[in-house]
């Protein structure tokens, strides 16, 4: 009886979710969604589990959200998986985190290929352990000709490091006489970032209740809409993603301009 009731309830909420998905699809879908996947440790702590259990659960959310993002027609999904500051964590936790790309990609690569998803990475790949590099490179190679959604992992990524490197490259061009100082503008800086080939994020989501950027895409997020939720990453699901889309569609983006015409 209870089981039947539960099934009915699940079917009902799934029905509602598909209505909401259909509705969201009629509106404007952000081309680039970036997510700071936070709260794995707290999710585990709430259950008296080690932090790594939270990271493992969080990997399942990555699959869920990749799927729905693809279904929604999002062009680029950037997931902040490991920051340049996360090296400060205990070695065992880091070792586990470095194994996740391999586990994720060995399990889901066939599905990503089938869905025409292109896997990319931003961040400093050189500092990653060999097995992590190998897994990421394999996935990137296997999906390089796909022209569906880009699934972009920010791995060993830090926005300040990215900016420092970009500025060094630009300074070298000036030093070598290949560029004038006056040629440096917005688009020149953007074109020297790791995201040069991607549109800027339209929507940033951060889970876990923290309201900060933690060194994530500081330049690229200049005009992104921000969505903060207290839901912990392992609990973030399709309904949460749809909620963020609904929220986005209610926002009025002005990019510094004024809304409507004829305003004095
Ligand atoms: C996010 O979860 C995953 C990474 C930063 C790698 P956390 O590990 O930061 O989880 P909390 O913030 O401690 O709960
Ligand atoms: C940001 O989360 C980095 C990632 C999600 C990969 P953190 O948990 O590392 O950020 P802080 O320490 O709360 O700022
Ligand atoms: Mg955290």
């Amino acid at each position: 009886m209870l089981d039947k009731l539960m099934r009915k309830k699940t079917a009902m909420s799934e029905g509602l979710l598909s209505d909401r998905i259909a509705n969201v699809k009629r509106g404007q879908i952000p081309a680039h969604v970036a997510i700071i996947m936070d709260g794995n440790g707290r999710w585990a702590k709430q259950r008296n589990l080690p932090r790594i259990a939270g990271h493992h659960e969080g990997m399942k959310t990555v699959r869920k959200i990749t799927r729905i993002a693809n279904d929604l027609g999002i062009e680029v999904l950037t997931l902040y998986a490991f920051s340049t500051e996360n090296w400060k964590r205990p070695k065992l936790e880091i070792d586990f985190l470095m194994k996740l790309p391999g586990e994720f990609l060995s399990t889901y690569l066939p599905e990503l290929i089938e869905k025409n998803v292109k896997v990319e990475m931003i961040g400093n790949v050189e500092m990653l352990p060999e097995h992590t590099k190998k897994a990421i490179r394999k996935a990137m190679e296997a999906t390089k000709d796909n022209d569906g959604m880009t699934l972009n992992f920010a791995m060993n990524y830090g926005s300040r490091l990215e900016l420092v490197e970009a500025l060094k490259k630009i300074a070298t061009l000036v030093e070598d006489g290949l560029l004038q100082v006056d040629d440096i503008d917005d688009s020149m800086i953007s074109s020297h970032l790791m995201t040069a080939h991607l549109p800027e994020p339209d929507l940033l989501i951060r889970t876990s209740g923290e309201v900060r950027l933690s060194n994530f895409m500081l330049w690229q997020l200049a005009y992104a809409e921000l969505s903060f939720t207290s839901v912990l990453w392992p609990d973030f699901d399709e309904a949460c993603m749809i909620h963020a889309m609904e929220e986005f569609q209610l926002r009025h983006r002005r990019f510094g301009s004024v809304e409507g015409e004829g305003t004095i």
Side-chain angles (χ1 to χ4, degrees):
M1 181 65 190
L2 198 66
D3 200 37
K4 208 170 153 192
L5 213 70
M6 284 297 286
R7 271 207 304 272
K8 200 171 159 194
K9 205 174 154 207
T10 311
M12 251 174 69
S13 59
E14 274 172 7
L16 280 177
L17 188 64
S18 62
D19 285 353
R20 283 171 71 196
I21 293 175
N23 210 25
V24 157
K25 279 175 128 171
R26 280 192 281 272
Q28 202 203 344
I29 298 291
H32 185 170
V33 176
I35 308 185
I36 303 177
M37 312 184 284
D38 199 13
N40 294 349
R42 277 162 283 171
W43 183 93
K45 195 169 179 216
Q46 282 173 357
R47 288 160 181 77
N48 284 319
L49 295 168
R51 291 176 59 82
I52 57 170
H55 296 314
H56 199 260
E57 196 65 24
M59 193 180 72
K60 296 183 193 163
T61 308
V62 170
R63 183 202 190 188
K64 227 185 262 182
I65 298 309
T66 300
R67 272 186 169 180
I68 186 147
N70 189 46
D71 290 347
L72 286 169
I74 288 168
E75 288 166 30
V76 184
L77 176 67
T78 297
L79 300 177
Y80 201 9
F82 193 88
S83 77
T84 45
E85 287 69 37
N86 287 148
W87 297 106
K88 295 176 196 158
R89 295 189 177 204
K91 187 178 180 309
L92 278 178
E93 181 173 346
I94 295 174
D95 288 348
F96 188 84
L97 286 167
M98 291 299 153
K99 283 193 192 122
L100 285 182
E103 188 179 338
F104 177 81
L105 294 165
S106 66
T107 318
Y108 301 127
L109 190 56
E111 184 180 333
L112 296 173
I113 293 171
E114 189 215 309
K115 295 254 164 79
N116 195 23
V117 170
K118 184 175 186 173
V119 177
E120 289 189 359
M121 192 202 119
I122 54 170
N124 182 333
V125 75
E126 291 317 317
M127 275 171 74
L128 300 176
E130 209 46 53
H131 63 91
T132 317
K133 274 188 220 173
K134 218 172 135 190
I136 295 173
R137 285 194 178 132
K138 183 181 163 203
M140 284 172 64
E141 178 58 32
T143 61
K144 70 177 193 310
D145 295 324
N146 290 356
D147 57 4
M149 186 179 82
T150 296
L151 174 59
N152 181 33
F153 287 103
M155 189 82 195
N156 192 22
Y157 173 85
S159 190
R160 288 186 172 180
L161 182 64
E162 179 189 36
L163 281 163
V164 167
E165 284 180 359
L167 295 179
K168 279 186 183 165
K169 278 185 223 150
I170 294 172
T172 307
L173 292 174
V174 173
E175 205 173 51
D176 294 349
L178 297 167
L179 191 73
Q180 301 298 309
V181 168
D182 280 347
D183 294 334
I184 302 173
D185 60 7
D186 259 38
S187 64
M188 159 124 342
I189 294 179
S190 295
S191 70
H192 282 84
L193 300 178
M194 293 163 179
T195 49
H197 60 299
L198 300 173
E200 285 182 358
D202 303 290
L203 173 65
L204 169 86
I205 301 171
R206 181 168 187 152
T207 58
S208 91
E210 307 299 350
V211 186
R212 55 175 170 259
L213 295 178
S214 302
N215 201 14
F216 187 51
M217 290 192 158
L218 303 180
W219 174 274
Q220 297 91 331
L221 291 171
Y223 273 103
E225 294 298 323
L226 309 179
S227 171
F228 295 97
T229 169
S230 58
V231 175
L232 304 175
W233 178 248
D235 292 327
F236 192 81
D237 61 8
E238 289 87 350
C240 300
M241 186 71 173
I242 294 300
H243 180 76
M245 295 297 129
E246 290 165 345
E247 226 181 33
F248 175 81
Q249 292 182 344
L250 291 172
R251 303 274 177 90
H252 298 284
R253 304 184 79 189
R254 287 189 285 274
F255 300 96
S257 177
V258 285
E259 221 169 350
E261 282 170 48
T263 316
I264 298 171

